[in-house]
């Protein structure tokens, strides 16, 4: 849920108000792939992998809030569940963010947080 929310929030933040944001999902029996696609400015050349690094912002601007952590958080969540996340430029402009989560396998083990520390 958090990954999808972060991707949609980014699309809303960087896409012109009248442009559509497309959300789709499909399964292939091995897992589910979710896509959030926009018609915003797209990714600068060479930024496809950098955008998932902590504090990296592809288009830093004073009128956009954030610290460049959202996509890094998405990557951490997806990879913790055995999946992968990536982004591609769309023909005609914009970006498509996709993530894949496997259906089978052992879910990640979540350790309880010790409230005393």
């Amino acid at each position: 849920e958090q990954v999808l929310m972060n991707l949609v929030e980014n699309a809303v933040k960087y896409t012109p108000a009248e442009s559509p944001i497309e959300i789709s999902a499909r399964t292939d029996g091995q897992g589910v792939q979710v896509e959030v696609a926009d018609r915003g400015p797209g990714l600068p050349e060479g930024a496809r992998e950098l955008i998932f690094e902590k504090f990296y912002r592809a288009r830093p601007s004073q009128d956009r809030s954030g610290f460049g952590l959202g996509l890094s958080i998405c990557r951490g969540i997806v990879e913790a569940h055995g999946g992968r996340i990536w982004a591609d430029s769309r023909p005609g402009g914009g970006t498509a963010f996709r993530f894949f989560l496997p259906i089978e396998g052992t879910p990640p083990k979540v350790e309880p947080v010790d409230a005393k520390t």
Side-chain angles (χ1 to χ4, degrees), residues 32-81:
V32 63
Q33 180 175 304
V34 178
E35 177 181 275
V36 177
D38 64 49
R39 289 293 177 189
L43 296 173
E45 188 68 34
R48 277 180 47 182
E49 291 301 319
L50 292 173
I51 58 174
F52 295 102
E53 297 295 322
K54 289 181 185 174
F55 306 113
Y56 181 83
R57 295 184 68 194
R59 299 188 188 286
S61 173
Q62 293 179 341
D63 63 337
R64 303 267 196 283
S65 63
F67 296 101
L69 292 172
L71 292 175
S72 176
I73 291 168
C74 289
R75 181 177 62 184
I77 292 169
V78 168
E79 289 179 354
H81 287 83

Side-chain angles (χ1 to χ4, degrees), residues 61-111:
S61 173
Q62 293 179 341
D63 63 337
R64 303 267 196 283
S65 63
F67 296 101
L69 292 172
L71 292 175
S72 176
I73 291 168
C74 289
R75 181 177 62 184
I77 292 169
V78 168
E79 289 179 354
H81 287 83
R84 69 185 210 69
I85 186 168
W86 67 99
D88 292 308
S89 294
R90 296 181 73 190
T95 306
F97 285 90
R98 298 178 182 98
F99 64 94
F100 176 85
L101 295 172
I103 294 173
E104 295 184 14
T106 305
K109 190 171 200 168
V110 178
E111 299 295 327

